[in-house]
């Protein structure tokens, strides 16, 4: 299967310049594991654009869109909104951002989300940041959040946990089998979690820097017998 490393010039349909390279990180973890909190920190330190699928859906719900009522009911019930709706919102936000580095938070939530995103956009994530947190801790955090979210109540949160275990964990397992998961212990205080997150992003930046020539090209590409050249580092996104 083609990865972003194999196809460094993937575009988001529509507006990106032809040879724009995108870095995409999926940020996954249960409800209240701290995805949004840590994404805000990553944005400040590493210049990514943060796209929370849940926030985009809530904004769409409040915009008077024809999908508004459906989104509202599904979120309250902890169900997963159809992929085509979420993917359209993500694509639009990526195009409008003008950035080439994205944190996609809370998506993909099931196998169908994952496969649909890949086939519609042609993008696979560089890696998956996985916030691992015990259910009791996540429940406590969500119930204490007090931001007026329709789904932050005990009935909705129990449903969200069920969907997370049955539908979202298999997606994380899928990426784990491909060596793409960077697992973080998210039960610790915010600052300690961010220390671990920083290590993941710093080592990525460092690796990219170390094997780039002065023109920004990969210097670790090797020629194979069939004539193809490829870098041995799976996450390499540099042109040859
Ligand atoms: N907090 C954070 N980190 C902490 C720490 N280390 N120690 C102590 N407290 C910590 O954090 C939650 C709360 O905990 C905050 O008060 C924070 O201060 C504190 P937050 O960073 O908001 O956690 P997050 O993981 O982002 O939790 P969230 O509730 O947003 O996760 P969900 O995945 O449940 O919500 P999301 O908005 O992504 O999705 C909501 C719904 O939208 C879904 O259930 C679904 O119905 C729908 N949806 C789709 O259908 N498709 C999608 O693709 C995405 C969403
Ligand atoms: Mg969130």
């Amino acid at each position: 299967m083609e990865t972003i490393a194999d196809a460094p010039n993937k575009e988001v349909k529509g507006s990106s310049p032809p040879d724009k390279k995108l870095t995409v990180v999926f940020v996954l973890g249960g409800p209240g594991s701290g995805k949004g909190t840590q994404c805000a920190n990553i944005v400040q330190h590493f210049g990514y654009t943060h796209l929370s699928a849940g926030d985009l859906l809530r904004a769409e719900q409040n915009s008077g869109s024809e999908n508004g009522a459906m989104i509202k009911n599904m979120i309250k019930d902890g169900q997963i909104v159809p992929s085509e709706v979420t993917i359209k919102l993500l694509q639009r936000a990526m195009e409008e951002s003008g950035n080439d580095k994205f944190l996609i938070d809370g998506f993909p939530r099931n196998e169908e989300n994952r496969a649909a995103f890949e086939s519609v956009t042609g993008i696979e994530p560089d890696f998956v940041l996985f916030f691992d947190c015990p259910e009791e801790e996540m429940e406590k955090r969500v119930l204490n959040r007090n931001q007026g979210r329709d789904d932050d109540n005990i009935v909705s949160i129990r449903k969200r946990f069920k969907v997370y275990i049955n539908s979202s964990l298999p997606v994380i397992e899928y990426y784990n089998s491909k060596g793409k998961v960077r697992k973080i212990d998210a039960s610790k205080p915010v600052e300690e979690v961010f220390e671990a997150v920083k290590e993941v992003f710093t080592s990525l930046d460092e690796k990219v820097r170390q094997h780039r020539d002065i023109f920004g090209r990969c210097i670790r590409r090797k020629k194979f017998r069939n004539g193809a050249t490829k870098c041995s580092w799976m996450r390499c996104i540099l042109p040859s």
Side-chain angles (χ1 to χ4, degrees):
M1 193 181 293
E2 194 180 56
T3 69
I4 203 164
D6 300 325
N9 294 332
K10 285 291 176 196
E11 300 169 55
V12 181
K13 226 167 63 188
S15 68
S16 304
D19 60 354
K20 192 168 183 181
K21 296 180 298 296
L22 301 179
T23 303
V24 171
V25 177
F26 287 153
V27 181
L28 301 177
S33 57
K35 302 183 291 296
T37 304
Q38 296 299 332
C39 281
N41 288 333
I42 299 165
V43 165
Q44 282 198 341
H45 282 74
F46 298 99
Y48 281 72
T49 291
H50 173 209
L51 303 175
S52 156
D55 286 350
L56 290 169
L57 287 166
R58 282 182 286 274
E60 178 73 358
Q61 175 198 314
N62 295 328
S63 73
S65 130
E66 56 179 359
N67 291 322
M70 178 269 287
I71 294 172
K72 185 179 171 69
N73 291 334
M74 295 199 84
I75 289 184
K76 184 139 196 215
D77 211 29
Q79 299 304 308
I80 300 167
V81 172
S83 295
E84 58 179 85
V85 174
T86 316
I87 291 171
K88 261 194 203 131
L89 294 172
L90 286 168
Q91 279 189 299
R92 196 200 302 156
M94 288 170 89
E95 286 165 15
E96 286 173 0
S97 75
N99 200 350
D100 56 1
K101 291 167 33 162
F102 300 97
L103 301 168
I104 299 192
D105 158 4
F107 179 95
R109 275 181 127 81
N110 60 15
E111 266 303 297
E112 200 267 327
N113 274 181
R114 182 194 68 70
F117 182 81
E118 200 181 296
S119 77
V120 172
T121 65
I123 295 170
E124 272 203 32
D126 287 56
F127 62 93
V128 173
L129 194 61
F130 166 41
F131 291 115
D132 187 31
C133 194
E135 204 167 290
E136 321 81 82
E137 174 65 18
M138 296 196 281
E139 183 174 304
K140 201 170 70 190
R141 291 180 190 175
V142 168
L143 294 177
N144 286 334
R145 175 159 43 189
N146 279 328
Q147 285 176 0
R149 266 175 58 167
D150 279 352
D151 57 346
D152 282 354
N153 58 74
I154 193 69
V155 176
S156 297
I157 185 78
R158 292 273 152 86
K159 291 179 179 171
R160 288 158 69 191
F161 284 143
K162 253 196 196 138
V163 171
Y164 170 65
I165 288 164
N166 294 332
S167 301
S168 308
L169 274 180
V171 175
I172 296 164
E173 276 154 19
Y174 167 84
Y175 284 119
N176 197 33
S177 73
K178 299 186 96 191
K180 287 199 167 192
V181 171
R182 309 289 173 266
K183 182 168 153 183
I184 304 283
D185 177 357
S187 64
K188 297 186 173 153
V190 173
E191 300 71 26
E192 278 181 48
V193 176
F194 189 54
E195 283 307 310
V197 168
K198 254 200 302 205
E199 257 173 51
V200 171
F201 282 85
T202 307
S203 69
L204 177 70
D205 274 1
E206 193 50 38
K207 263 198 158 145
V208 170
R209 240 194 321 273
Q210 277 173 7
H211 79 288
R212 163 188 287 169
D213 68 12
I214 54 165
F215 303 108
R217 294 174 307 208
C218 173
I219 52 170
R220 297 231 187 111
R221 299 232 162 195
K222 292 202 174 84
K223 200 159 195 165
F224 291 86
R225 260 189 229 147
N226 64 4
T229 58
K230 205 173 166 192
C231 179
S232 55
W233 181 37
M234 281 189 39
R235 281 149 59 205
C236 176
I237 52 166
L238 300 175
S240 48

